[in-house]
Amino acid sequence: MSGGLGKLVKKGLGEMGFNMGGGAINWFPGHMAAATRAIRDRLKFADFVIEVRDSRIPLSSANEDLQPVLSSKRRVIALNKKDLANPNIMHKWIQYFDSNKQDCLLINAHSKGSVKKLLDLVELKLKERISREPTLLVMVVGVPNVGKSSLINSIHQIASARFPVQEKMKRAIVGPLPGVTQDIAGYKIAHKPSIYVLDTPGVLVPSIPDIETGLKLAVTGSVKDSVVGEERLAQYLLAVLNSRSTPFHWKNLNNRILERLKYGSVDKNDDKLRALLPKKKKQLDDSNVWYIEDLVTQVQHALYLTFSEFDGNMEDENDLESLIEEQFIALQKAMKVPPHKPSDEARTIVSKKFLTLFRMGKLGPFTLDDVPETSDSTH
């Protein structure tokens, strides 16, 4: 197997024929146009901005159209879903943003401790203004499905504990699909001075010119799967994993199931996990948990075997495409998708399950964006 990946990386995985199937990725429903205008109007009055991005794609999850406005505001970039990102390189991302004189914080929006650190930083940055302004406005912005609503809900819980006498606050709507929050709502989080946090809908740019950026946004859930197609997304994800030799690290799978169960990494109440179960299984009990963890191991083992047996050239687009086709066949067996299923239907089932495993971190923590070598970006 060829070791060099220079040409492959130079061309860009998103530009390869099997990844370009539907061309550029654009998803800009009508409500996004109106929301973008509303966000721009309100940003003029914001004293501070929390820009939420996905830790797996720290640059790709930036809304480029809003960056000129955001860069002129006091702002912190909150890299959410840190538990799903590669912990070994996240310090490099912090250094990158720091070198661009941009405050950045890794967070988990579901962790109160993590969100408290974010609020402490916001308060610190607003300290001077707090002393002379009776009312302050903090805006939360970001592309769809980066966890803004989860962050807002955590802020609510913290604020309710701090100020139990204030009016009951409405929870933000959290949904599995991008673009759920379609209105801008304000929530009071402090008295004297009054600090309001404005939640906003997730908005993308009208056109995503770079195909690879679009694919990364879709793989992490910021663009609806139906816009791109699950199979195309699975192909891209496999291309990324192969180009980074990720399957090679899954060689030693002994006791993997026992380890995961021992440390309680499976959430029995997660609806996304239910989608991975055979249709006959209704309740997510211990036997189902074993099924899911066994499925993860089978998937990783299948990808390792196909990757290790590959004797083509990883720099050759046709060879890489052939490897991915072999992996689709191996995944269909590993996921026990019946061989008599029509090919298109089987590939869709395989793709959906594979994407679900990745998005939930079951294949391990992963960061799709590469840290820029130079720090001349203004993000």
Side-chain angles (χ1 to χ4, degrees), residues 303-360:
L303 294 181
Y304 164 70
L305 284 180
T306 49
F307 182 81
S308 62
E309 292 169 1
F310 173 67
D311 60 358
N313 185 346
M314 285 287 284
E315 295 179 15
D316 185 280
E317 180 175 340
N318 293 326
D319 282 1
L320 182 56
E321 185 175 7
S322 296
L323 170 60
I324 290 171
E325 284 303 306
E326 289 292 325
Q327 289 176 328
F328 259 99
I329 295 168
L331 285 174
Q332 184 172 345
K333 291 178 183 176
M335 293 175 178
K336 298 179 174 60
V337 177
H340 58 77
K341 286 257 185 201
S343 177
D344 288 351
E345 187 181 343
R347 290 173 75 91
T348 300
I349 293 171
V350 167
S351 299
K352 284 182 176 180
K353 290 194 174 191
F354 185 58
L355 288 168
T356 298
L357 289 175
F358 172 79
R359 287 168 178 164
M360 297 186 69

Side-chain angles (χ1 to χ4, degrees), residues 269-282:
N269 298 313
D270 203 311
D271 288 336
K272 292 177 186 174
L273 285 176
R274 295 176 192 278
L276 298 173
L277 297 173
K279 289 188 177 178
K280 292 180 182 177
K281 303 209 176 214
K282 300 293 183 184

Side-chain angles (χ1 to χ4, degrees), residues 25-29 31-32 144 178-179 204-206 208 222-224 227:
I25 295 161
N26 299 312
W27 183 53
F28 199 67
H31 77 267
M32 279 196 193
L204 292 165
V205 295
I208 304 169
S222 288
V223 174
K224 281 185 179 177
V227 174

Side-chain angles (χ1 to χ4, degrees), residues 39-58:
I39 289 169
R40 285 183 181 279
D41 289 341
R42 285 162 176 77
L43 272 172
K44 297 171 188 174
F45 307 104
D47 297 287
F48 197 86
V49 177
I50 299 173
E51 184 189 358
V52 186
R53 299 189 191 178
D54 191 317
S55 289
R56 294 168 295 179
I57 46 172

